[in-house]
Amino acid sequence: MKTANRNLLLFVIPAALGLILGIVMLTQGDAILGAAKEMVPEAPQGEVGDVEGYAMIGGMLGAGLGGLAGFAVQLFGMMAILYTAALLILSGVTRLVYGQTPGRILAYRILMGVSVVVLLSPVPDILRTFVTALAGGSFLPLWLVYMVVVFIIAVKACRNTYSRQIYH
């Protein structure tokens, strides 16, 4: 298998999984918004007592927080979709550029560098979140796994791209 094909697989497989995750999050966020909409209490007819009024306020607060949670899940899903779609498109274009001539290899190396930068772009924010949570006494293993996998992919892709292996 050509090194360019291996690099393509290094980027496409995790990006496709991330795209699927983003789509799932987008649809689940819509389901959460629908459930929050159903939680909104109906206005009672006639005079409302204190207990009913407080119950309505609590129900509205719960529906509002549920709606906010649904919106946050959808927003995170949209961000994941945009990020992974950018990786998929950039990886595909990078693979199409590859050729055995020196100019095409240079273009491939430049585009692969851009792909690695895009791959690593969320890492500073995730690292900040991870360290802040760790300082607060909470351990977020999923973020740690994400960072390790992304760094392994980036190192492997750079090693394949910027060494003599690219000519094979």
Side-chain angles (χ1 to χ4, degrees):
M1 178 183 287
K2 287 185 177 180
T3 303
N5 290 339
R6 277 188 248 137
N7 281 347
L8 180 67
L9 287 177
L10 275 175
F11 280 84
V12 166
I13 291 172
L17 293 173
L19 185 64
I20 292 169
L21 176 70
I23 291 170
V24 167
M25 289 182 74
L26 197 61
T27 57
Q28 290 302 315
D30 191 40
I32 293 170
L33 281 173
K37 187 184 280 187
E38 291 175 7
M39 287 177 54
V40 175
E42 294 182 21
Q45 301 297 326
E47 193 172 319
V48 178
D50 287 345
V51 174
E52 292 89 4
Y54 290 131
M56 280 183 54
I57 291 172
M60 294 274 244
L61 183 64
L65 289 175
L68 186 63
F71 177 72
V73 169
Q74 278 189 326
L75 184 64
F76 194 73
M78 284 186 261
M79 288 177 11
I81 288 171
L82 289 174
Y83 171 67
T84 55
L87 275 176
L88 286 171
I89 291 169
L90 195 55
S91 298
V93 169
T94 302
R95 177 58 185 100
L96 289 175
V97 166
Y98 178 76
Q100 287 296 331
T101 63
R104 291 186 73 127
I105 287 180
L106 177 63
Y108 177 80
R109 285 179 169 169
I110 291 169
L111 284 174
M112 186 54 81
V114 172
S115 297
V116 169
V117 167
V118 169
L119 177 72
L120 294 174
S121 63
V123 170
D125 291 331
I126 291 172
L127 183 63
R128 186 179 323 114
T129 302
F130 179 75
V131 170
T132 304
L134 200 58
S138 178
F139 180 67
L140 304 172
L142 196 59
W143 290 126
L144 183 64
V145 169
Y146 171 81
M147 287 188 293
V148 168
V149 168
V150 164
F151 279 121
I152 289 172
I153 291 171
V155 167
K156 182 74 173 153
C158 287
R159 189 173 152 248
N160 288 343
T161 302
Y162 300 110
S163 69
R164 289 246 175 242
Q165 291 178 358
I166 195 65
Y167 295 108
H168 298 102

